Amino acid sequence: MSACGGGGGGGGSTGGGTTPTPVNYNYAPADAARFLLQAQFAFKDTDLAALNAKGYDGWLTAQFNTPANQTGVAWMNAQGHNIPTSDGNYFGSSPGDFMIWHALMTDTDQLRKRCALAVSEMMVASLNPLGGWWPSYVIAGYWDTLNAHVFGNFRTLLEQVTLTPAIGAFLNTAGNLKEDPATGREPDENYAREVMQLFTIGLYELNIDGTPKTDLLGNKKETYTQSDISNLARVFTGYDWDWSKVTWTNVSWLDYDVPSTEFATSPMAFNADNHSMLEVKFLGVTIPANTPGPDALKIALDTLFNHPNVGPFFGRQMIQRLVTSNPSPAYVSRVAAKFNDNGSGVRGDLKAVWRAILLDDEARTLPTNSTAGKLREPMIRLAQFARTFDVYSTNGKWEIYDLSGSGWGIGQSPLRSPSVFNFFRPGYVPPQTAIAANGDVAPEFQLHNETTVAGFINFFTSVMQDGYGDVKPDYTAMMPNISNSQALLDWMNLHLSANQVSPATIALIKAAIDVHPIDASSTDFNKRDRICNCILLLMSCPEYLIQK
């Protein structure tokens, strides 16, 4: 059955030293495309061939074993962004935008990047409020941390994210000081609150299927109290940016020296003099007084990691980012079970979690429910367009800036969440809609309104035609079918939506396109215009916007 399209990896050895017979899984093109558009931003025909050769499971194994691409920090260094210039680039954030757009649009380790982006929307650090020295490097260090550990163990990922300078600046652990009875100062509670509420366990106790536990009166049971927050805050004192590897450059246009970027990309350093030595009691665990800071951090993070909420809390949100806004409790339960035990007794194995999310029957079966699936995020749409239509940079700079604006922009920009609560809440419900009436959620719809819809189309219309600064699309591969609108639309439908735009909608788009016939003698402008019109109409229709 595997060779007819079931799950599983490649064929096994036949024994006796003979060469294994190659297996071709012969997935239906729409099924293969649907899988790839959940696991990646976009795909080429070579990806379809690799998937059919390896099978879903084997393809995932190959992706997990693929080395990571160049880090964001290394890419920015290669661009010279780490060299101080008289325009004050050391205080600028834009290179961080260039870095992340370049990664999302060009890096070949797409599964890693897709999963890292999903985690960045749960364990949030944002470039928006970062100030001081080298904010672009601070966010690049955070992004590189996600990429380095997103195929590892959740416990390691949690600790490494906790110690990033980006989280230190964004959630106030950098420079967080112990209590001072003389002044009444208490440790900052921001990260203690958010690491529980948003990064690990959530507000309410959960069953393994993600549904809330309730008391005898039907009330939800809270996972932590204010006392838990105040106690846990003591653990996160004594950490600050690590300046030990930094060198300082004297520049002619300033009366002070400029530091190098190592502090922005290294884990925060611990200073015992600034760490609270008081006893910590939270979530039923006691960290004794005078416990050294690194030991207290280990106990605290181990406690969070081993909390029964983490599997369903993390698993459900990752399902929402990759597959569907409303996974069934059974789907969440299966993913959480793999978080709890990967089959070899290991808790928190993220490869097992991604595999469970993408190979689950609920992910691999095309739903018929009209409210199934998820709204494609604007930044995912733009990355998909870029990869599908071979976007390139004329000078290698990839100068795409913050696109959060809704007037002329896409209403979202990666690593620029407006708050620690992400661009949207996982439980957001569009008011007065069929979604609300069904008791469902639609997180991405928190970004979706009349202004952002029009803004995206206006922005997209311009970018499709002329590119964005040095970043341009290349439609050469589309030209052989330029006179055949049906062939153009069929190719785009498969590669952009996994054939989820209905024949009726394709027929409407074709009728509009065919008003202006094109043949080999047509001008290059008219040929390009036809391609852009096909893309715009297809990527603006609801059947594309909702990914199932």
Side-chain angles (χ1 to χ4, degrees):
M1 291 182 66
S2 289
C4 296
S13 172
T14 58
T18 60
T19 301
T21 302
V23 174
N24 191 318
Y25 287 81
N26 291 322
Y27 295 124
D31 291 339
R34 183 169 171 271
F35 172 83
L36 289 169
L37 292 180
Q38 291 170 340
Q40 301 188 152
F41 302 99
F43 67 89
K44 298 293 187 181
D45 291 341
T46 52
D47 295 310
L48 290 174
L51 186 62
N52 276 313
K54 299 176 185 297
Y56 294 139
D57 189 66
W59 184 89
L60 286 172
T61 298
Q63 298 304 307
F64 292 145
N65 293 333
T66 298
N69 284 159
Q70 182 183 37
T71 66
V73 168
W75 183 82
M76 291 202 302
N77 287 347
Q79 297 289 314
H81 292 302
N82 60 327
I83 300 172
T85 56
S86 59
D87 62 358
N89 63 330
Y90 33 81
F91 293 140
S93 62
S94 293
D97 295 309
F98 309 159
M99 177 277 300
I100 186 61
W101 281 120
H102 170 265
L104 300 189
M105 290 180 170
T106 71
D107 281 356
T108 57
D109 56 344
Q110 280 200 67
L111 178 65
R112 182 187 300 272
K113 293 300 185 291
R114 185 68 189 88
C115 293
L117 187 66
V119 174
S120 79
E121 296 187 79
M122 179 177 173
M123 298 182 177
V124 176
S126 177
L127 187 52
N128 282 346
L130 295 181
W133 295 112
W134 300 112
S136 59
Y137 276 84
V138 173
I139 204 66
Y142 161 78
W143 174 245
D144 289 346
T145 297
L146 295 183
N147 279 276
H149 299 288
V150 76
F151 289 164
N153 192 281
F154 183 91
R155 172 62 179 79
T156 305
L157 174 67
L158 177 62
E159 180 166 343
Q160 293 304 309
V161 166
T162 295
L163 294 177
T164 58
I167 287 293
F170 189 56
L171 294 176
N172 306 120
T173 50
N176 191 14
L177 301 175
K178 65 183 179 182
E179 66 286 335
D180 183 351
T183 64
R185 183 186 67 215
E186 295 291 339
D188 188 285
E189 297 179 351
N190 199 8
Y191 188 63
R193 178 181 298 103
E194 307 307 0
V195 73
M196 290 193 288
Q197 179 181 347
L198 302 176
F199 291 16
T200 55
I201 63 177
L203 293 172
Y204 302 106
E205 293 185 19
L206 301 175
N207 298 301
I208 193 170
D209 64 5
T211 58
K213 294 181 179 180
T214 56
D215 60 22
L216 294 177
L217 298 177
N219 300 311
K220 296 178 182 179
K221 301 169 69 175
E222 294 184 351
T223 53
Y224 59 87
T225 66
Q226 178 57 45
S227 176
D228 292 317
I229 296 171
S230 299
N231 274 256
L232 181 58
R234 298 167 187 161
V235 171
F236 301 120
T237 56
Y239 293 90
D240 209 339
W241 293 0
D242 183 359
W243 298 90
S244 63
K245 300 176 183 178
V246 167
T247 58
W248 296 81
T249 300
N250 181 267
V251 294
S252 60
W253 59 87
L254 294 175
D255 57 4
Y256 51 87
D257 294 345
V258 177
S260 56
T261 62
E262 288 84 359
F263 75 92
T265 59
S266 301
M268 289 190 293
F270 177 72
N271 182 343
D273 291 340
N274 295 329
H275 179 69
S276 173
M277 302 303 288
L278 297 180
E279 179 184 72
V280 172
K281 290 186 176 182
F282 86 112
L283 301 181
V285 170
T286 298
I287 302 175
N290 299 315
T291 298
D295 295 341
L297 181 69
K298 181 182 184 304
I299 295 169
L301 296 184
D302 283 348
T303 299
L304 293 173
F305 171 62
N306 287 298
H307 193 285
N309 267 24
V310 181
F313 187 71
F314 176 75
R316 185 174 189 275
Q317 289 193 55
M318 294 303 100
I319 294 170
Q320 287 184 312
R321 298 288 67 75
L322 300 182
V323 178
T324 181
S325 296
N326 295 281
S328 71
Y331 186 7
V332 175
S333 180
R334 292 188 291 270
V335 171
K338 283 297 183 182
F339 181 96
N340 293 344
D341 186 340
N342 68 352
S344 299
V346 177
R347 178 178 177 83
D349 177 0
L350 291 173
K351 290 179 183 176
V353 172
W354 303 125
R355 200 183 298 272
I357 289 172
L358 292 167
L359 298 185
D360 193 88
D361 285 347
E362 199 164 321
R364 300 279 44 85
T365 303
L366 182 64
T368 57
N369 182 354
S370 62
T371 59
K374 62 187 291 291
L375 178 69
R376 297 179 197 267
E377 296 175 57
M379 63 183 177
I380 302 296
R381 288 178 241 159
L382 187 58
Q384 183 189 24
F385 164 79
R387 288 178 176 272
T388 303
F389 299 104
D390 300 319
V391 162
Y392 65 99
S393 170
T394 58
N395 56 20
K397 293 183 177 181
W398 293 90
E399 291 183 334
I400 302 177
Y401 290 80
D402 179 6
L403 298 183
S404 302
S406 56
W408 196 83
I410 63 171
Q412 186 184 34
S413 212
L415 305 184
R416 281 194 179 271
S417 170
S419 78
V420 72
F421 295 101
N422 191 28
F423 304 100
F424 40 76
R425 304 286 186 104
Y428 177 75
V429 180
Q432 298 179 333
T433 62
I435 295 170
N438 290 338
D440 291 332
V441 301
E444 294 85 354
F445 272 84
Q446 197 165 357
L447 291 175
H448 196 71
N449 55 54
E450 293 88 343
T451 301
T452 59
V453 169
F456 185 91
I457 292 174
N458 290 337
F459 174 87
F460 202 48
T461 300
S462 174
V463 168
M464 281 191 306
Q465 290 282 0
D466 305 318
Y468 182 106
D470 66 289
V471 181
K472 310 290 184 183
D474 182 353
Y475 298 123
T476 303
M478 300 291 101
M479 290 303 172
N481 288 322
I482 194 64
S483 62
N484 187 338
S485 60
Q486 187 66 55
L488 273 179
L489 289 168
D490 287 345
W491 188 93
M492 291 182 189
N493 193 11
L494 176 66
H495 286 76
L496 294 174
S497 80
N499 285 348
Q500 290 177 16
V501 178
S502 68
T505 300
I506 293 294
L508 285 173
I509 297 173
K510 182 179 185 301
I513 297 300
D514 287 345
V515 169
H516 300 285
I518 295 291
D519 58 30
S521 65
S522 300
T523 66
D524 288 344
F525 175 84
N526 286 337
K527 291 176 182 178
R528 187 182 184 89
D529 192 55
R530 164 170 278 210
I531 293 169
C532 291
N533 286 333
C534 287
I535 298 169
L536 179 64
L537 292 172
L538 197 150
M539 292 187 72
S540 299
C541 75
E543 291 164 335
Y544 163 78
L545 291 172
I546 302 300
Q547 179 179 356
K548 294 186 178 181

